[in-house]
Amino acid sequence: MLARIYVTLKKGVLDPQGKAVQHSLESLGYDKVKDVRLGKYMEVKLDYSRAGESEPIVREMCEKLLANPVIEDYRFEITEE
Amino acid sequence: MKFGVIVFPGSNCDHDCYHVVKHVFKQDAEFVWHKESRLASYDCLILPGGFSYGDYLRPGAIGKFSPIMKEVRRFASDGGLILGICNGFQVLLETDLLPGAMMRNRSLKFICKDLYLRLEEDDTPFTNRGRVGDMLKMPIAHFDGNYFVDDKTLQELEENHQILFRYCDHNGDVTTDANPNGAMRNIAGICNRERNIMGMMPHPERCSESILGNEDGRLIFESIIDAGVVLR
């Protein structure tokens, strides 16, 4: 199975990198850019045969290590490779 | 007093900390490799600065799972003194021994320079040699020192007098301009509620000898040594 994990900054947490990218887009002339938030994308290959089996494990991985619950949210999808 | 300096792969201020406690303050000191699963008997543990595990994922995130951290947690809950400096502070945050998290500096730049701190609390084992309002000059050297915590916890930090240092200007005023990294309320250092664990971004071990031109960092180590003596 393949878990695609997205770690993003929580709402309300200032994102200085996102702001820098936003300003850069604006200076390129994209004047409709309202906001940019940067996050992390991870792919974790897993030796499970069913998505349902691996879901609680991936959740645990996110809680324990992959995301910092103080500043980050996470979501993921699990598919066949 | 006996100090243990925890060494993670990527720690790079471990020798500075060891040198200061051992040679400047003439205390017992030992390095403790992160793979150790047993802690000898220490009075104070120092988690030094550096880039444990290359800061991969998030600063301090992987160091949190080093075998020694289980013992560090036990030492903390037994009331042992723990000082986390820079990356050591980040490890303490990731480990939940201190509240909050570090974000990338507001300027998106690595900042390495001397600046001023205002001492906010003198009723801790780490600051008892100073007085509230004292100004200390210390260097910072970090990429992720933009302290963040949720509003409720921030309120608790203020109410429980857990904010020990704030960035200030050369007049001692805590201003937005004096904030190098965007940290909430100019926070440079905090302690836990029980006051036996402190984390700070500035580096006292880099300014504790006259030969280095600045001895303001001595206050931290002298306070700890005083506190250690009282405990005994």
Side-chain angles (χ1 to χ4, degrees):
Chain A
M1 309 301 299
L2 177 70
R4 295 187 171 85
I5 302 167
Y6 306 85
V7 178
T8 51
L9 283 174
K10 280 190 168 161
K11 224 175 158 181
V13 174
L14 277 177
D15 177 7
Q17 296 185 81
K19 279 277 167 276
V21 174
Q22 182 184 344
H23 291 147
S24 183
L25 286 171
E26 285 165 358
S27 68
L28 287 172
Y30 297 100
D31 54 2
K32 301 260 186 223
V33 175
K34 282 170 70 181
D35 194 23
V36 178
R37 309 278 286 169
L38 257 59
K40 292 176 190 147
Y41 169 68
M42 305 171 208
E43 290 185 344
V44 179
K45 284 187 187 173
L46 295 155
D47 193 9
Y48 288 97
S49 48
R50 287 185 297 120
E53 240 182 333
S54 52
E55 200 208 289
I57 306 295
V58 173
R59 190 170 302 283
E60 191 180 298
M61 288 174 181
C62 291
E63 300 277 345
K64 269 192 184 168
L65 175 66
L66 303 179
N68 179 339
V70 179
I71 46 174
E72 293 169 330
D73 287 325
Y74 64 87
R75 65 190 165 83
F76 58 84
E77 58 220 24
I78 301 169
T79 54
E80 307 249 337
E81 272 182 65
Chain B
M1 211 177 158
K2 193 169 173 191
F3 286 82
V5 179
I6 312 284
V7 184
F8 296 97
S11 293
N12 64 13
C13 301
D14 44 342
H15 282 261
D16 306 56
C17 290
Y18 179 90
H19 164 73
V20 167
V21 292
K22 178 96 174 177
H23 302 124
V24 179
F25 292 101
K26 315 287 184 209
Q27 304 293 309
D28 288 339
E30 284 174 359
F31 290 114
V32 183
W33 181 234
H34 75 116
K35 285 263 171 91
E36 300 287 333
S37 53
R38 297 283 296 274
L39 258 186
S41 151
Y42 296 105
D43 302 301
C44 178
L45 294 179
I46 301 180
L47 276 66
F51 300 86
S52 58
Y53 291 91
D55 275 357
Y56 299 149
L57 194 62
R58 298 179 305 275
I62 300 179
K64 167 184 174 181
F65 295 105
S66 280
I68 197 64
M69 289 310 292
K70 206 174 154 189
E71 281 288 280
V72 171
R73 277 200 190 87
R74 186 190 54 75
F75 182 82
S77 64
D78 289 349
L81 297 181
I82 301 180
L83 167 62
I85 302 169
C86 199
N87 188 234
F89 186 9
Q90 294 163 336
V91 173
L92 292 174
L93 293 172
E94 283 283 343
T95 316
D96 277 338
L97 285 170
L98 290 173
M102 285 300 174
M103 312 259 305
R104 186 59 34 115
N105 293 341
R106 184 179 44 190
S107 62
L108 302 178
K109 290 191 169 66
F110 187 96
I111 307 170
C112 182
K113 66 173 184 186
D114 281 339
L115 43 65
Y116 293 98
L117 306 172
R118 183 181 190 275
L119 182 62
E120 300 286 299
E121 300 291 338
D122 52 26
D123 182 22
T124 81
F126 308 96
T127 55
N128 59 55
R129 277 289 193 106
R131 287 291 159 263
V132 171
D134 281 357
M135 226 169 72
L136 302 172
K137 187 168 137 183
M138 280 192 209
I140 57 165
H142 60 247
F143 215 147
D144 303 81
N146 185 349
Y147 181 76
F148 178 89
V149 72
D150 65 82
D151 290 339
K152 183 170 164 282
T153 313
L154 183 61
Q155 195 57 36
E156 285 171 12
L157 287 176
E158 297 273 13
E159 283 168 9
N160 299 323
H161 302 277
Q162 289 172 250
I163 300 168
L164 307 192
F165 295 105
R166 292 184 214 261
Y167 301 108
C168 67
D169 64 18
H170 61 280
N171 296 317
D173 295 324
V174 176
T175 63
T176 308
D177 283 347
N179 187 337
N181 49 30
M184 278 183 152
R185 309 239 174 125
N186 284 42
I187 289 173
I190 58 169
C191 70
N192 61 338
R193 212 165 166 166
E194 292 74 23
R195 300 178 109 65
N196 64 313
I197 306 173
M198 170 169 90
M200 61 190 300
M201 288 314 289
H203 287 272
E205 80 284 11
R206 296 189 186 178
C207 52
S208 288
E209 288 174 87
S210 59
I211 194 171
L212 298 177
N214 180 1
E215 296 182 275
D216 284 5
R218 293 179 66 97
L219 181 136
I220 309 291
F221 298 103
E222 286 170 351
S223 295
I224 293 172
I225 292 164
D226 267 9
V229 171
V230 172
L231 282 177
R232 283 176 175 185

mmCIF file of all heavy atoms in Angstrom, chain A residues 9 13-14 16-17 20 40 42 64-68 70-72, chain B residues 57-58 61 64-65 94 100-106 108 146 148:
data_model
loop_
_atom_site.group_PDB
_atom_site.id
_atom_site.type_symbol
_atom_site.label_atom_id
_atom_site.label_comp_id
_atom_site.label_asym_id
_atom_site.label_seq_id
_atom_site.Cartn_x
_atom_site.Cartn_y
_atom_site.Cartn_z
ATOM 1 N N LEU A 9 0.299 23.571 7.924
ATOM 2 C CA LEU A 9 0.250 24.392 9.131
ATOM 3 C C LEU A 9 -1.196 24.619 9.519
ATOM 4 O O LEU A 9 -2.071 24.786 8.661
ATOM 5 C CB LEU A 9 0.926 25.735 8.880
ATOM 6 C CG LEU A 9 2.458 25.706 8.883
ATOM 7 C CD1 LEU A 9 2.997 27.071 8.482
ATOM 8 C CD2 LEU A 9 3.005 25.299 10.238
ATOM 9 N N VAL A 13 -1.850 29.776 12.249
ATOM 10 C CA VAL A 13 -0.398 29.785 12.458
ATOM 11 C C VAL A 13 0.230 30.539 11.291
ATOM 12 O O VAL A 13 0.007 30.186 10.132
ATOM 13 C CB VAL A 13 0.169 28.347 12.520
ATOM 14 C CG1 VAL A 13 1.679 28.375 12.592
ATOM 15 C CG2 VAL A 13 -0.416 27.608 13.705
ATOM 16 N N LEU A 14 0.977 31.583 11.596
ATOM 17 C CA LEU A 14 1.607 32.372 10.534
ATOM 18 C C LEU A 14 2.599 31.514 9.771
ATOM 19 O O LEU A 14 3.334 30.728 10.356
ATOM 20 C CB LEU A 14 2.341 33.569 11.129
ATOM 21 C CG LEU A 14 1.504 34.798 11.422
ATOM 22 C CD1 LEU A 14 2.357 35.875 12.064
ATOM 23 C CD2 LEU A 14 0.873 35.336 10.136
ATOM 24 N N PRO A 16 5.615 32.123 7.428
ATOM 25 C CA PRO A 16 6.514 33.084 6.774
ATOM 26 C C PRO A 16 6.971 32.621 5.391
ATOM 27 O O PRO A 16 7.133 33.446 4.487
ATOM 28 C CB PRO A 16 7.697 33.210 7.736
ATOM 29 C CG PRO A 16 7.536 32.169 8.784
ATOM 30 C CD PRO A 16 6.137 31.658 8.721
ATOM 31 N N GLN A 17 7.136 31.307 5.205
ATOM 32 C CA GLN A 17 7.562 30.815 3.888
ATOM 33 C C GLN A 17 6.444 31.004 2.863
ATOM 34 O O GLN A 17 6.690 31.418 1.729
ATOM 35 C CB GLN A 17 7.942 29.339 3.968
ATOM 36 C CG GLN A 17 9.129 29.083 4.865
ATOM 37 C CD GLN A 17 9.570 27.632 4.829
ATOM 38 O OE1 GLN A 17 10.271 27.219 3.921
ATOM 39 N NE2 GLN A 17 9.138 26.868 5.805
ATOM 40 N N ALA A 20 6.360 34.575 1.772
ATOM 41 C CA ALA A 20 7.432 34.920 0.822
ATOM 42 C C ALA A 20 7.076 34.448 -0.583
ATOM 43 O O ALA A 20 7.284 35.158 -1.573
ATOM 44 C CB ALA A 20 8.754 34.307 1.284
ATOM 45 N N LYS A 40 4.044 19.952 3.786
ATOM 46 C CA LYS A 40 4.925 18.844 3.415
ATOM 47 C C LYS A 40 4.086 17.718 2.827
ATOM 48 O O LYS A 40 2.984 17.463 3.287
ATOM 49 C CB LYS A 40 5.655 18.313 4.651
ATOM 50 C CG LYS A 40 6.663 19.287 5.216
ATOM 51 C CD LYS A 40 7.272 18.727 6.487
ATOM 52 C CE LYS A 40 8.099 19.810 7.172
ATOM 53 N NZ LYS A 40 8.059 19.686 8.618
ATOM 54 N N MET A 42 4.439 13.626 1.901
ATOM 55 C CA MET A 42 5.275 12.440 2.120
ATOM 56 C C MET A 42 4.605 11.215 1.510
ATOM 57 O O MET A 42 3.383 11.107 1.540
ATOM 58 C CB MET A 42 5.469 12.194 3.619
ATOM 59 C CG MET A 42 6.033 13.376 4.361
ATOM 60 S SD MET A 42 5.984 13.085 6.142
ATOM 61 C CE MET A 42 5.856 14.776 6.715
ATOM 62 N N LYS A 64 2.640 10.616 16.138
ATOM 63 C CA LYS A 64 3.889 10.439 16.877
ATOM 64 C C LYS A 64 5.039 11.234 16.302
ATOM 65 O O LYS A 64 5.860 11.767 17.033
ATOM 66 C CB LYS A 64 4.300 8.957 16.849
ATOM 67 C CG LYS A 64 3.769 8.142 17.999
ATOM 68 C CD LYS A 64 4.495 6.805 18.009
ATOM 69 C CE LYS A 64 3.943 5.893 19.084
ATOM 70 N NZ LYS A 64 4.453 4.521 18.910
ATOM 71 N N LEU A 65 5.152 11.264 14.984
ATOM 72 C CA LEU A 65 6.374 11.807 14.395
ATOM 73 C C LEU A 65 6.146 12.768 13.225
ATOM 74 O O LEU A 65 6.748 13.836 13.186
ATOM 75 C CB LEU A 65 7.265 10.637 13.915
ATOM 76 C CG LEU A 65 8.546 11.020 13.168
ATOM 77 C CD1 LEU A 65 9.509 11.753 14.096
ATOM 78 C CD2 LEU A 65 9.231 9.785 12.589
ATOM 79 N N LEU A 66 5.296 12.384 12.279
ATOM 80 C CA LEU A 66 5.290 13.098 10.999
ATOM 81 C C LEU A 66 4.727 14.513 11.087
ATOM 82 O O LEU A 66 5.123 15.390 10.341
ATOM 83 C CB LEU A 66 4.541 12.282 9.935
ATOM 84 C CG LEU A 66 5.118 10.873 9.720
ATOM 85 C CD1 LEU A 66 4.315 10.118 8.667
ATOM 86 C CD2 LEU A 66 6.592 10.932 9.329
ATOM 87 N N ALA A 67 3.794 14.735 12.021
ATOM 88 C CA ALA A 67 3.255 16.089 12.211
ATOM 89 C C ALA A 67 3.450 16.508 13.655
ATOM 90 O O ALA A 67 3.477 15.667 14.548
ATOM 91 C CB ALA A 67 1.774 16.115 11.859
ATOM 92 N N ASN A 68 3.620 17.789 13.863
ATOM 93 C CA ASN A 68 3.684 18.322 15.224
ATOM 94 C C ASN A 68 2.323 18.931 15.540
ATOM 95 O O ASN A 68 1.963 19.972 14.989
ATOM 96 C CB ASN A 68 4.782 19.382 15.326
ATOM 97 C CG ASN A 68 4.867 19.968 16.733
ATOM 98 O OD1 ASN A 68 3.921 19.898 17.511
ATOM 99 N ND2 ASN A 68 6.013 20.544 17.044
ATOM 100 N N VAL A 70 1.144 20.723 17.686
ATOM 101 C CA VAL A 70 1.067 22.104 18.184
ATOM 102 C C VAL A 70 0.840 23.081 17.024
ATOM 103 O O VAL A 70 0.122 24.062 17.155
ATOM 104 C CB VAL A 70 2.348 22.491 18.958
ATOM 105 C CG1 VAL A 70 2.280 23.930 19.456
ATOM 106 C CG2 VAL A 70 2.581 21.551 20.132
ATOM 107 N N ILE A 71 1.482 22.807 15.889
ATOM 108 C CA ILE A 71 1.408 23.764 14.782
ATOM 109 C C ILE A 71 0.867 23.173 13.488
ATOM 110 O O ILE A 71 0.565 23.916 12.554
ATOM 111 C CB ILE A 71 2.808 24.381 14.474
ATOM 112 C CG1 ILE A 71 3.880 23.292 14.431
ATOM 113 C CG2 ILE A 71 3.162 25.460 15.464
ATOM 114 C CD1 ILE A 71 5.246 23.790 13.986
ATOM 115 N N GLU A 72 0.737 21.844 13.423
ATOM 116 C CA GLU A 72 0.413 21.235 12.126
ATOM 117 C C GLU A 72 -0.823 20.330 12.166
ATOM 118 O O GLU A 72 -1.105 19.694 13.187
ATOM 119 C CB GLU A 72 1.620 20.410 11.632
ATOM 120 C CG GLU A 72 2.823 21.265 11.279
ATOM 121 C CD GLU A 72 4.100 20.438 11.052
ATOM 122 O OE1 GLU A 72 4.243 19.364 11.666
ATOM 123 O OE2 GLU A 72 4.941 20.882 10.274
ATOM 124 N N LEU B 57 12.939 16.635 8.958
ATOM 125 C CA LEU B 57 11.507 16.672 9.281
ATOM 126 C C LEU B 57 11.176 17.965 10.015
ATOM 127 O O LEU B 57 10.518 18.828 9.458
ATOM 128 C CB LEU B 57 11.071 15.444 10.078
ATOM 129 C CG LEU B 57 9.554 15.231 10.163
ATOM 130 C CD1 LEU B 57 8.949 15.018 8.798
ATOM 131 C CD2 LEU B 57 9.227 14.062 11.087
ATOM 132 N N ARG B 58 11.617 18.100 11.264
ATOM 133 C CA ARG B 58 11.512 19.348 12.034
ATOM 134 C C ARG B 58 12.653 19.321 13.045
ATOM 135 O O ARG B 58 13.020 18.243 13.515
ATOM 136 C CB ARG B 58 10.189 19.415 12.827
ATOM 137 C CG ARG B 58 8.913 19.397 12.019
ATOM 138 C CD ARG B 58 7.692 19.447 12.955
ATOM 139 N NE ARG B 58 7.708 18.400 13.947
ATOM 140 C CZ ARG B 58 7.254 17.155 13.763
ATOM 141 N NH1 ARG B 58 6.726 16.805 12.605
ATOM 142 N NH2 ARG B 58 7.316 16.254 14.729
ATOM 143 N N ALA B 61 12.691 16.784 16.072
ATOM 144 C CA ALA B 61 11.615 15.784 15.927
ATOM 145 C C ALA B 61 12.131 14.358 16.024
ATOM 146 O O ALA B 61 11.448 13.477 16.547
ATOM 147 C CB ALA B 61 10.885 15.989 14.607
ATOM 148 N N LYS B 64 13.876 13.277 19.574
ATOM 149 C CA LYS B 64 12.858 12.913 20.558
ATOM 150 C C LYS B 64 12.805 11.401 20.807
ATOM 151 O O LYS B 64 12.486 10.952 21.895
ATOM 152 C CB LYS B 64 11.526 13.412 20.000
ATOM 153 C CG LYS B 64 10.276 12.921 20.637
ATOM 154 C CD LYS B 64 9.087 13.470 19.851
ATOM 155 C CE LYS B 64 7.772 12.905 20.342
ATOM 156 N NZ LYS B 64 6.644 13.426 19.547
ATOM 157 N N PHE B 65 13.101 10.616 19.770
ATOM 158 C CA PHE B 65 12.981 9.166 19.883
ATOM 159 C C PHE B 65 14.306 8.467 20.170
ATOM 160 O O PHE B 65 14.386 7.243 20.127
ATOM 161 C CB PHE B 65 12.338 8.583 18.620
ATOM 162 C CG PHE B 65 10.920 9.050 18.459
ATOM 163 C CD1 PHE B 65 10.593 10.011 17.522
ATOM 164 C CD2 PHE B 65 9.933 8.550 19.291
ATOM 165 C CE1 PHE B 65 9.291 10.460 17.399
ATOM 166 C CE2 PHE B 65 8.626 8.988 19.170
ATOM 167 C CZ PHE B 65 8.304 9.954 18.223
ATOM 168 N N GLU B 94 9.653 19.319 21.248
ATOM 169 C CA GLU B 94 9.139 18.156 20.518
ATOM 170 C C GLU B 94 8.801 17.023 21.477
ATOM 171 O O GLU B 94 7.909 16.223 21.215
ATOM 172 C CB GLU B 94 10.164 17.679 19.482
ATOM 173 C CG GLU B 94 10.225 18.555 18.227
ATOM 174 C CD GLU B 94 9.050 18.296 17.281
ATOM 175 O OE1 GLU B 94 8.379 17.259 17.417
ATOM 176 O OE2 GLU B 94 8.813 19.156 16.406
ATOM 177 N N GLY B 100 4.752 24.232 23.412
ATOM 178 C CA GLY B 100 4.967 25.090 22.253
ATOM 179 C C GLY B 100 5.734 24.399 21.140
ATOM 180 O O GLY B 100 5.987 23.193 21.198
ATOM 181 N N ALA B 101 6.079 25.189 20.116
ATOM 182 C CA ALA B 101 6.811 24.665 18.966
ATOM 183 C C ALA B 101 7.633 25.790 18.355
ATOM 184 O O ALA B 101 7.330 26.965 18.559
ATOM 185 C CB ALA B 101 5.848 24.103 17.926
ATOM 186 N N MET B 102 8.663 25.427 17.617
ATOM 187 C CA MET B 102 9.479 26.424 16.921
ATOM 188 C C MET B 102 9.156 26.421 15.440
ATOM 189 O O MET B 102 9.148 25.380 14.789
ATOM 190 C CB MET B 102 10.973 26.118 17.094
ATOM 191 C CG MET B 102 11.504 26.460 18.451
ATOM 192 S SD MET B 102 11.328 28.206 18.844
ATOM 193 C CE MET B 102 11.879 28.172 20.558
ATOM 194 N N MET B 103 8.920 27.638 14.924
ATOM 195 C CA MET B 103 8.696 27.797 13.495
ATOM 196 C C MET B 103 9.950 28.434 12.898
ATOM 197 O O MET B 103 10.783 28.986 13.600
ATOM 198 C CB MET B 103 7.534 28.753 13.252
ATOM 199 C CG MET B 103 6.302 28.444 14.085
ATOM 200 S SD MET B 103 5.113 27.587 13.123
ATOM 201 C CE MET B 103 4.923 28.716 11.770
ATOM 202 N N ARG B 104 10.016 28.387 11.574
ATOM 203 C CA ARG B 104 11.080 29.068 10.840
ATOM 204 C C ARG B 104 11.092 30.556 11.210
ATOM 205 O O ARG B 104 10.036 31.149 11.411
ATOM 206 C CB ARG B 104 10.766 28.871 9.356
ATOM 207 C CG ARG B 104 11.708 29.327 8.299
ATOM 208 C CD ARG B 104 13.063 28.807 8.256
ATOM 209 N NE ARG B 104 13.465 27.475 8.615
ATOM 210 C CZ ARG B 104 13.966 26.587 7.776
ATOM 211 N NH1 ARG B 104 14.054 26.845 6.513
ATOM 212 N NH2 ARG B 104 14.398 25.424 8.214
ATOM 213 N N ASN B 105 12.287 31.159 11.312
ATOM 214 C CA ASN B 105 12.383 32.589 11.618
ATOM 215 C C ASN B 105 11.536 33.398 10.639
ATOM 216 O O ASN B 105 11.491 33.087 9.449
ATOM 217 C CB ASN B 105 13.832 33.075 11.504
ATOM 218 C CG ASN B 105 14.719 32.475 12.582
ATOM 219 O OD1 ASN B 105 14.229 31.996 13.600
ATOM 220 N ND2 ASN B 105 16.016 32.497 12.341
ATOM 221 N N ARG B 106 10.932 34.454 11.157
ATOM 222 C CA ARG B 106 10.070 35.298 10.331
ATOM 223 C C ARG B 106 10.797 35.807 9.085
ATOM 224 O O ARG B 106 10.224 35.913 8.004
ATOM 225 C CB ARG B 106 9.604 36.476 11.187
ATOM 226 C CG ARG B 106 8.623 37.422 10.570
ATOM 227 C CD ARG B 106 8.254 38.507 11.558
ATOM 228 N NE ARG B 106 9.448 39.028 12.248
ATOM 229 C CZ ARG B 106 9.408 39.846 13.289
ATOM 230 N NH1 ARG B 106 8.272 40.223 13.786
ATOM 231 N NH2 ARG B 106 10.530 40.275 13.840
ATOM 232 N N LEU B 108 13.045 34.299 7.458
ATOM 233 C CA LEU B 108 13.471 33.138 6.658
ATOM 234 C C LEU B 108 14.983 33.066 6.525
ATOM 235 O O LEU B 108 15.506 32.462 5.587
ATOM 236 C CB LEU B 108 12.827 33.167 5.257
ATOM 237 C CG LEU B 108 11.304 33.184 5.237
ATOM 238 C CD1 LEU B 108 10.789 33.260 3.806
ATOM 239 C CD2 LEU B 108 10.731 31.944 5.925
ATOM 240 N N ASN B 146 11.359 30.907 16.054
ATOM 241 C CA ASN B 146 10.105 31.652 16.041
ATOM 242 C C ASN B 146 9.097 30.898 16.909
ATOM 243 O O ASN B 146 8.357 30.046 16.417
ATOM 244 C CB ASN B 146 9.664 31.738 14.577
ATOM 245 C CG ASN B 146 8.436 32.573 14.368
ATOM 246 O OD1 ASN B 146 7.760 32.953 15.302
ATOM 247 N ND2 ASN B 146 8.143 32.836 13.105
ATOM 248 N N PHE B 148 6.149 29.520 18.916
ATOM 249 C CA PHE B 148 4.696 29.547 18.752
ATOM 250 C C PHE B 148 4.032 28.646 19.783
ATOM 251 O O PHE B 148 4.512 27.556 20.079
ATOM 252 C CB PHE B 148 4.290 29.059 17.348
ATOM 253 C CG PHE B 148 2.801 29.038 17.158
ATOM 254 C CD1 PHE B 148 2.142 30.160 16.682
ATOM 255 C CD2 PHE B 148 2.053 27.908 17.491
ATOM 256 C CE1 PHE B 148 0.756 30.155 16.530
ATOM 257 C CE2 PHE B 148 0.669 27.903 17.337
ATOM 258 C CZ PHE B 148 0.024 29.030 16.861
#
